[in-house]
Amino acid sequence: MNDILFWYWVLMGVLLLVVLVVIFRSVRRSKFSSRTKKEVAGLLRKHGLLRQWKVYHDVSVGGDCPVDHLVIGPFGIIIACDLYRKGSYYGDLDKEEWLLAEGNEEETAQKSRIVSPLYQARKAEARVRELLGKNRIYNTPIDVFVPLTQDQPTFITGGSGILLRRKELKDTLDRVRYDKDNGVDMEAVAKALGLPEKS
C-alpha cells in the first residue's frame, strides 16, 4: 500500500512539474510576443509622427480582417501582420498555413501549423480594396509587409522584400516612395475603412 501511495505522489509531482513548465513557457512566449509587437508599433509610430501618417495598431478592417499595423499616408497604405512568435517558420510564401517549430532543438521542437501572416495581410488588402471601391476611392497604392520580430531562422521560400527584419523594415520605411504624395485623402480612407479619426 505504501509503495502505491509513494508512486502515486511521484507521478503527481511529475505531472505538476510538466504543467508548470508548460505554463512558464507560455507566459515567457507571450511576454516576448507583446514586446516585439510593441517594437514594430513604435517604429511605425516614429515614422508616422515625422511624416504625419495615420498609424493604427491591432485593428479589424471591415470588422472581419484583423491587422497588426495599418498605416495611411499621402503615399497610400501599408498593411503589416507580424511574425512575432519565437521559433523557426517553414513553408511557401503564398500558402495559407506555415509550420512553426518552437524550441531550441529541431528534434524536441513543438511543431504547429499557423495561419500565414502574409495570407492575413493579403486578405486584409483585398478587404481594404473592396471598402475603398464601395466609397469610390480608387488607385490607392497598398504595400503589404510581414515584419520579423524574432531572430531565429525563417525558411519561407520567396519571402524577399516582404518578410522584413527590423532593420530592413526601417530601411524600407525610409525610402523616398513613402515621402511621395500620391494624392491619397487620408481622412477619407480612414473613414471608408471604419477607423477612428485619430490614430
Side-chain angles (χ1 to χ4, degrees):
M1 180 76 170
N2 280 341
D3 283 345
I4 294 174
L5 195 56
F6 171 77
W7 288 111
Y8 171 79
W9 286 111
V10 167
L11 181 62
M12 287 295 130
V14 169
L15 286 174
L16 178 64
L17 184 63
V18 168
V19 168
L20 290 175
V21 166
V22 168
I23 290 172
F24 172 76
R25 289 181 71 195
S26 176
V27 167
R28 194 177 79 186
R29 187 171 41 242
S30 176
K31 284 183 180 179
F32 175 83
S33 299
S34 63
R35 180 176 49 87
T36 56
K37 285 181 81 167
K38 286 179 184 175
E39 288 174 3
V40 171
L43 181 65
L44 292 170
R45 210 174 10 259
K46 177 182 158 192
H47 278 77
L49 284 173
L50 295 173
R51 297 176 174 158
Q52 298 180 339
W53 297 344
K54 291 185 169 290
V55 181
Y56 301 90
H57 306 287
D58 295 318
V59 296
S60 184
V61 178
D64 59 354
C65 285
V67 174
D68 292 327
H69 314 283
L70 190 136
V71 179
I72 304 170
F75 62 87
I77 299 171
I78 296 173
I79 297 172
C81 291
D82 297 331
L83 194 62
Y84 59 86
R85 288 174 59 186
K86 267 188 171 181
S88 297
Y89 294 84
Y90 302 90
D92 291 325
L93 189 65
D94 295 322
K95 297 289 184 188
E96 183 177 341
E97 286 187 338
W98 292 346
L99 180 69
L100 169 62
E102 297 176 285
N104 296 335
E105 299 297 323
E106 189 60 35
E107 305 86 43
T108 60
Q110 181 181 358
K111 296 178 178 119
S112 58
R113 295 208 171 274
I114 62 160
V115 174
S116 155
L118 181 59
Y119 175 82
Q120 274 183 294
R122 287 193 172 149
K123 185 177 170 188
E125 177 187 11
R127 186 74 171 119
V128 165
R129 290 193 187 283
E130 176 189 332
L131 292 170
L132 293 179
K134 284 181 180 178
N135 287 274
R136 299 177 188 262
I137 302 171
Y138 303 106
N139 300 322
T140 303
I142 301 176
D143 289 338
V144 171
F145 300 126
V146 176
L148 301 172
T149 57
Q150 45 92 26
D151 293 329
Q152 284 184 297
T154 302
F155 304 101
I156 304 295
T157 57
S160 179
I162 295 174
L163 302 176
L164 302 173
R165 299 207 182 275
R166 184 176 165 79
K167 169 96 172 81
E168 294 169 324
L169 178 61
K170 182 186 178 313
D171 291 345
T172 298
L173 293 172
D174 286 338
R175 289 184 186 157
V176 174
R177 75 178 282 158
Y178 296 112
D179 288 329
K180 185 177 178 184
D181 188 345
N182 289 324
V184 173
D185 183 343
M186 295 188 299
E187 283 73 26
V189 169
K191 185 177 178 182
L193 299 180
L195 299 171
E197 295 268 336
K198 283 189 149 185
S199 58

